[in-house]
Amino acid sequence: MKHQMLVIFMGMFCAAFLNISCQYNSIHEYAEEQYFNGELNGNILVVQNNKVLYENSFGVAHPETKESLTASHRFAIGSISKEFPGMAAMQLFERGKLKLEDKISMYLEDLPSWASSITIQQLFKYTSGLPRVAWERYGENKMTVTHELLLNDLKKVEALSFKSGTDYLYSNYNPILLIHIVEKVSGQSFEDYVTQNIFKPAKMTNSYFGKAVPWKNEVLPAHPFDQDNNLDAFRMDGLKFLMLFSAQDLYQYLYHLHSYQLLSKKSVKLLSEREGSQSPLGVLEWDDDQLEVHHHHGEQGNYESVIRYYPEEQLYIIILKNQKFFNVMDMADEIKDIVNQKTI
């Protein structure tokens, strides 16, 4: 208890009186402060030069059962999961199965006429003109979101938000249509394709596709809950992009992606091109041909996650939370600073 009170006091002192970041002696000291301040319920993994610098779990997997989180628990990762439709489509491009300038109407025949004006590359760059998914309406009306509901609403769209290729709008409909193109071209379900061509080659042995939210029969899910310990009420069933990941598996994914075992460097660079804030891979910053950082932040209900890769330091930072405090990006920044202090 004395240690806990000291950690809390030091955190409050740094923030309130010094108005600067504390010089932490270790990642664990910093993570403990976040936990004791009530701002960390989740898993942290830090790897450098293929060695685990830090791995720990804080808090519970379920607010009612109080099941403790472990490194084996799986989390939904929100927008980060959009990397996988993009990756899958780019793999098919590398194999000559599709072209980036192909109109999506070549593969998806049951969409309105606007499908003949959108290219696969515009889906990558969120420049298709597709509107945003009506998540707010679904939530307010307590609707169970199914893949059929999403597609039916999309088919009701009569006009695009803007002419394809002329602007940027971050819409989940872009990766949803990429999923259907992958299924059409590969002849496999999206789940089977990703499991065979991404999960297995990347040695992601603990990640899998979920079936319905709230989770029921999934293996070791970290259930999302709010700051009042209420489980998320949002309901989904049968969505093709419901995936759960362990922190170790996301490290394996980043390692295999950036050692160019899943895609060539040329294809990674092409997939990382963006017209706005996001590409399918989040944000990759390049200096000519040299990657400087891969950053991606994701939210889904009270899940919040961030993945970071810094090639120069060979540093990977993964933070997965099932109780959102809007602080994972600040945490990743602080952890990087702590690691750099230790290597000076």
Side-chain angles (χ1 to χ4, degrees), residues 179-213:
I179 287 172
H180 284 270
I181 291 171
V182 169
E183 291 185 329
K184 180 74 172 182
V185 173
S186 69
Q188 297 178 277
S189 70
F190 183 64
E191 178 177 353
D192 287 346
Y193 181 90
V194 169
T195 300
Q196 178 181 329
N197 293 277
I198 300 178
F199 285 1
K200 287 184 178 179
K203 301 180 180 178
M204 301 170 69
T205 57
N206 293 314
S207 299
Y208 59 85
F209 283 72
K211 302 305 178 186
V213 176

Side-chain angles (χ1 to χ4, degrees), residues 212-226:
V213 176
W215 311 120
K216 294 180 180 178
N217 301 313
E218 283 72 17
V219 177
L220 288 175
H223 296 266
F225 58 96
D226 64 21

Side-chain angles (χ1 to χ4, degrees), residues 1-12 32-33 35-38:
M1 179 60 72
K2 289 182 179 179
H3 173 69
Q4 177 178 341
M5 293 305 297
L6 178 60
V7 169
I8 294 174
F9 171 77
M10 288 302 295
M12 293 174 62
E32 265 198 330
E33 177 188 292
Y35 174 64
F36 289 138
N37 285 343

Side-chain angles (χ1 to χ4, degrees), residues 74-85:
R74 283 79 154 176
F75 296 71
I77 56 175
S79 294
I80 302 172
S81 63
K82 297 182 181 70
E83 299 207 6
F84 296 93

